[in-house]
Amino acid sequence: LVLAAKPRGSWARATSDEPRMERMNTFALATKALEGDDDETQAQWSMATADAKDGSTEAARRENMHWRKMNMAKKAQEDSLARLREVSKDTLASAASGSPGGPS
C-alpha cells in the first residue's frame, strides 16, 4: 500500500470540500494591531496565542504583531526612563559643582 503525500504550502490547490484560508494584508494586520491600548493589546495577543496553538498561520501572524507592539512600547518606555535618568544625573552633577545651567 502506497500513500501519496498531500501537497502543502501556498501552491497547494484547495479542493471544493476544503475551506480556503485567506491571508490578511500585512498593512491591514499591522494597522489593526496598532489600535487599542495596552490592555487590549495584551488581550488580543493572548487570544491569538491560543489560536496559534491550533496551527493557524493567521493567528501566528496576529500573535507576532501584538507581541511586537507590546515589546516596542516596553522598549520605548525603558529608553525614555534611561534618558530621564541621564538628564537627572547631569543636572545633579552640575548643581553639585556649582556650574551655570543647574537649578538655582
Side-chain angles (χ1 to χ4, degrees), residues 22 57 70 86-87:
E22 293 294 324
T57 303
M70 288 186 308
E86 191 63 36
V87 167

Side-chain angles (χ1 to χ4, degrees), residues 1-5:
L1 177 66
V2 176
L3 298 175

Side-chain angles (χ1 to χ4, degrees), residues 4-22:
K6 183 177 178 181
R8 294 171 35 156
S10 60
W11 55 269
R13 178 184 239 155
T15 61
S16 60
D17 61 335
E18 294 177 357
R20 183 170 173 88
M21 178 62 82
E22 293 294 324

Side-chain angles (χ1 to χ4, degrees), residues 20-98:
R20 183 170 173 88
M21 178 62 82
E22 293 294 324
R23 179 181 168 134
M24 181 183 261
N25 175 294
T26 302
F27 180 75
L29 180 62
T31 301
K32 188 163 177 59
L34 290 174
E35 295 172 353
D37 60 12
D38 292 341
D39 291 336
E40 186 176 335
T41 300
Q42 177 72 38
Q44 292 292 328
W45 174 79
S46 295
M47 289 187 322
T49 299
D51 292 344
K53 290 181 189 233
D54 293 333
S56 168
T57 303
E58 284 301 303
R61 292 178 74 218
R62 286 194 326 271
E63 176 189 21
N64 187 317
M65 287 289 183
H66 291 294
W67 183 89
R68 287 175 185 230
K69 180 184 176 191
M70 288 186 308
N71 284 284
M72 286 172 61
K74 182 179 174 185
K75 173 121 175 65
Q77 185 179 29
E78 289 170 355
D79 290 348
S80 179
L81 287 172
R83 283 192 301 274
L84 182 60
R85 281 189 212 105
E86 191 63 36
V87 167
S88 296
K89 187 169 79 173
D90 291 345
T91 302
L92 289 172
S94 14
S97 68

